[in-house]
Amino acid sequence: MGRSQEAERVVVNASVMLAVIILDEPWITREGSMRLLQEIEDGRLTAFVTDRFLGKVLGGVLKALAVQRPLLIAVDEIFHFLSRIPFIWCREGEIWRPEDVWATAQEFDCPYADAIYIQLARQYQATLWTADMRLVRNLRRRRFPARWVGEIFGR
């Protein structure tokens, strides 16, 4: 990609990071998530995440540890791992508003946490990438631009 071309915009939900960190995720989900993160690191994609992203990732890690699922890295290394990925962090009140997210959750019949990512994707005219196939199916029924991480191999 030439320097004059703008990188494709994406919104990444926490399931993508969890698919990398939790070792017993399905191979295609894990590898697709790793490739997506690599494209972000390489600057081929501009990635937006919500300010609640870290909390969702850590909550997922806690659930994984509670049932003794294996992790790629130690919990205290997760912060360093995340810091090397050039995400654009979108803050509540500055970038997204709870009342808009609430309306989005109702429109898409989805959890509030998912609606934040949908709202960001709308706002930035970006594709929402997720490891959650249920969310992808829901959004596609409504013709919303969502991709499952395993699809990255077919791009």
Side-chain angles (χ1 to χ4, degrees), residues 136-151:
V136 170
R137 281 193 297 268
N138 179 22
L139 295 177
R140 285 185 178 163
R141 279 195 306 274
R142 292 165 168 81
R143 302 201 186 289
F144 191 85
R147 302 286 303 270
W148 175 65
V149 291
E151 297 170 339

Side-chain angles (χ1 to χ4, degrees), residues 77-96:
E77 295 172 9
I78 292 172
F79 301 100
H80 174 71
F81 182 70
L82 277 170
S83 71
R84 72 171 221 248
I85 302 169
F87 289 130
I88 297 171
W89 295 85
C90 302
R91 299 173 65 129
E92 177 182 349
E94 292 176 16
I95 306 297
W96 60 274

Side-chain angles (χ1 to χ4, degrees), residues 1-69:
M1 170 170 52
R3 284 205 179 279
S4 61
Q5 235 176 358
E6 186 177 327
E8 178 186 347
R9 293 176 175 201
V10 298
V11 170
V12 177
N13 87 354
S15 67
V16 172
M17 188 61 65
L18 288 168
V20 171
I21 294 171
I22 301 170
L23 286 175
D24 61 2
E25 286 292 317
W27 179 87
I28 193 163
T29 305
R30 192 170 140 68
E31 291 297 315
S33 294
M34 289 185 351
R35 180 168 300 175
L36 180 66
L37 294 175
Q38 187 62 57
E39 288 190 20
I40 294 165
E41 280 188 80
D42 293 346
R44 290 185 295 235
L45 300 173
T46 300
F48 301 90
V49 295
T50 170
D51 54 353
R52 297 189 182 180
F53 182 81
L54 180 59
K56 293 295 286 180
V57 170
L58 294 175
V61 167
L62 282 173
K63 285 181 184 177
L65 289 172
V67 294
Q68 300 179 339
R69 293 179 72 189

